[in-house]
Amino acid sequence: MKHSGTFIQKKGFIYKLGGKRKSWKLRYVVLNPGYFCYYKDPSVPKPIGEVKLKNVTVMESDHTSKGKQPFQFVVHTESTWNNRCDWILAAVKAEELQDWITAFQLAGQRR
């Protein structure tokens, strides 16, 4: 699989919790070894954001509290390109959750 000349680990829609407004937004994510980009829509060529994945830990998150998204997981990475370390994400469907967690773990492995 190729995207702009690089191997794509995984791509698709996931929910992302905003850093400032703390609201859930559906985003199209392109996950590559060492980083991921997210877009409002897959047809838009420029990403909204790009996140370097360094020393990554990924874990499923409890979503039973009010305001939490089902199928939620947290990607913790060292902050280098941005000021955030914890990215709170959620799969669209239950059957996609483990695939996203595994893909982020693989993408964040040291090379």
Side-chain angles (χ1 to χ4, degrees), residues 67-81:
K68 302 279 183 165
Q69 189 75 17
F71 324 124
Q72 185 175 306
F73 61 102
V74 178
V75 176
H76 177 82
T77 185
E78 287 182 11
S79 178
T80 53
W81 291 354

Side-chain angles (χ1 to χ4, degrees), residues 22-37:
K22 300 293 182 201
S23 61
W24 289 99
K25 301 285 186 192
L26 186 63
R27 296 293 184 232
Y28 187 76
V29 171
V30 177
L31 179 60
N32 295 284
Y35 71 99
F36 74 95
C37 299

Side-chain angles (χ1 to χ4, degrees), residues 1-8 11 30 32 35 37 39 45 47:
M1 213 181 292
K2 295 273 185 182
H3 182 270
S4 301
T6 54
F7 175 78
I8 296 174
K11 62 182 177 177
V30 177
N32 295 284
Y35 71 99
C37 299
Y39 305 77

Side-chain angles (χ1 to χ4, degrees), residues 15-27 38 84 86-89:
Y15 290 99
K16 183 183 88 56
L17 185 63
K20 292 182 182 178
R21 294 205 170 113
K22 300 293 182 201
S23 61
W24 289 99
K25 301 285 186 192
L26 186 63
R27 296 293 184 232
Y38 55 96
R84 287 179 66 184
D86 289 322
W87 294 84
I88 302 170
L89 307 169

